[in-house]
Amino acid sequence: MSEPIVYGDPISTYVRSVRLALAEKGVPHALVAVDLVKGQHKEAAHMARNPWGKMPAFEHAGHCFYEASAIMRYVDEAFSGPALMPSTPAERVRVNQLMSVVDSYGYGASITNIFIPRVLVPMLGGQTDEAQVEAAKPTAVLFLAEVNRLLGGTDYFGGKAVSLADLHLLPVLAYLNATPEGQGMLAATPAIVAWMARMNQRASVKAVMPA
Ligand SMILES: N[C@@H](CCC(=O)N[C@@H](CS)C(=O)NCC(=O)O)C(=O)O
């Protein structure tokens, strides 16, 4: 069967999560670059893959689809390799809940409203909207509190083994940790910092998220 294709920019958190899942399964893939900063995700070629103008899009065995968490679940089910979902309903609900929390609350606060204005906008010559960053802080703090609670003293969100939730979360927290606001918040949650250090040792993370 042909190699899967990921369409997206390697700097994108959601592209990273999908590529981490592929790497954890040991599945080689092709990356077709869609430049986020140049806005290529809004061009016709990519809009045909994802009409919302977001990345990633994914292609495998004649199927083309999008939405990172759906792609990650497909990768886990379609390929052999270590299971990235735990075996019990109680463990699985924790993984699913965390992935949903990332999508519904964590990404917006951490990336859209803190990392992008604080790091990306100045990098591209613009000015940080301080009010935007300030307004996002309470949601980011709550996000980390919930991440901390869901981790709950276990090694990974699914229990003893790495799961889709770990791979969905890490790229978001890595960017949050690249901001002074995020570093301050993470300092209050040492269990998450220890989890990040554990994750950063993984070969998949070293390959997909070079320091
Ligand atoms: N719900 C989508 C979200 C994807 C998403 O927001 N990707 C970001 C990059 S990390 C993006 O495409 N941003 C470009 C934009 O919003 O214009 C998914 O899970 O795949």
Side-chain angles (χ1 to χ4, degrees):
M1 210 181 273
S2 58
E3 265 187 10
I5 305 172
V6 178
Y7 296 90
D9 192 316
I11 67 169
S12 146
T13 64
Y14 283 113
V15 170
R16 287 182 168 187
S17 291
V18 165
R19 299 185 74 210
L20 285 171
L22 287 161
E24 288 287 343
K25 296 297 271 193
V27 179
H29 67 278
L31 178 69
V32 173
V34 180
D35 193 309
L36 191 58
V37 172
K38 287 188 184 149
Q40 287 178 344
H41 52 296
K42 305 295 184 199
E43 291 176 4
H46 191 74
M47 295 293 284
R49 300 176 197 120
N50 182 335
W52 308 100
K54 303 275 182 186
M55 59 181 70
F58 187 81
E59 197 175 322
H60 180 241
H63 308 293
C64 189
F65 46 97
Y66 62 87
E67 284 299 300
S69 59
I71 299 167
M72 292 168 80
R73 289 185 173 97
Y74 173 86
V75 166
D76 189 31
E77 291 169 15
F79 299 100
S80 56
L84 298 176
M85 284 298 273
S87 58
T88 70
E91 289 168 324
R92 277 201 299 279
V93 79
R94 191 159 62 136
V95 168
N96 287 325
Q97 186 180 358
L98 183 79
M99 291 176 79
S100 194
V101 164
V102 169
D103 289 338
S104 301
Y105 317 108
Y107 180 89
S110 309
I111 305 299
T112 310
N113 293 320
I114 297 183
F115 175 75
I116 291 178
R118 177 61 75 221
V119 176
L120 197 58
V121 167
M123 204 183 274
L124 299 174
Q127 220 174 346
T128 300
D129 180 341
E130 295 293 343
Q132 179 186 9
V133 173
E134 203 52 38
K137 281 190 197 170
T139 308
V141 168
L142 177 57
F143 172 49
L144 290 181
E146 279 302 278
V147 167
N148 199 42
R149 185 180 68 79
L150 290 168
L151 187 58
T154 51
D155 282 352
Y156 301 102
F157 290 90
K160 286 197 174 10
V162 78
S163 74
L164 294 181
D166 301 276
L167 310 176
H168 207 52
L169 175 66
L170 184 69
V172 172
L173 290 195
Y175 280 152
L176 182 63
N177 195 35
T179 69
E181 290 80 5
Q183 277 169 19
M185 292 171 197
L186 280 159
T189 53
I192 301 180
V193 174
W195 167 84
M196 285 177 82
R198 210 157 38 244
M199 291 297 292
N200 286 336
Q201 294 309 309
R202 302 186 74 82
S204 66
V205 174
K206 288 181 182 166
V208 170
M209 298 172 46

